[in-house]
Amino acid sequence: MPRIRSFLITLCLSLACGSVFSQANLSAFISVEGEVLKPLKLTAKDLEKFPQSEVKAKDKDGKEHTFQGTLLSVVLDSAGVTLGKQLRGENLAKYVLVRARDGYEVVYALPEIDPEFTSNTILLTTHVDGTPLPKGEGPFRLVNPLDKKPARWVREITSIKILTSKN
């Protein structure tokens, strides 16, 4: 009987912790701010409303995966970031600072993201191989398949900030 009671208590605690994690993941959001016309706070559900894309890329261990999500350029365009024909002159000095939950940060120049400048596909992912990103990677992750090292594949993204070199 004590074994069954111990098992049931462990089971209940596991389910409760899993439920809290799921709720935290559902309420997680990513902010897009800075030099934008329309600041955004997006949940994973919000990102599903954007056109979806996928890329195949190898992780740091050399295993190939299929990542699903939204092109970063589409998200930035919806926030009113200077892209396309307006991305010239002083606007070429703007850059994107991507920040993770643990404080890790990476930088992309806007032309690296803009489809009028590059054929690179930088994806703001929410899924890998058809399932939501696992704990420690998601709910949002950036994947850049053309980078030789995945050092700019930011995990657990919390914000994307558009800045100018004059800041």
Side-chain angles (χ1 to χ4, degrees), residues 1 15 41 44 77 83 85 87 90 123 136 139 164:
M1 191 68 131
L15 290 173
K41 283 194 176 185
D77 187 53
L83 295 171
K85 290 179 174 54
L87 188 53
E90 67 183 20
L123 202 61
T164 182

Side-chain angles (χ1 to χ4, degrees), residues 107-128:
V107 171
Y108 285 89
L110 276 181
E112 287 183 277
I113 298 166
D114 189 330
E116 289 194 22
F117 277 82
T118 183
S119 57
N120 194 4
T121 310
I122 301 174
L123 202 61
L124 181 56
T125 65
T126 54
H127 288 75
V128 61

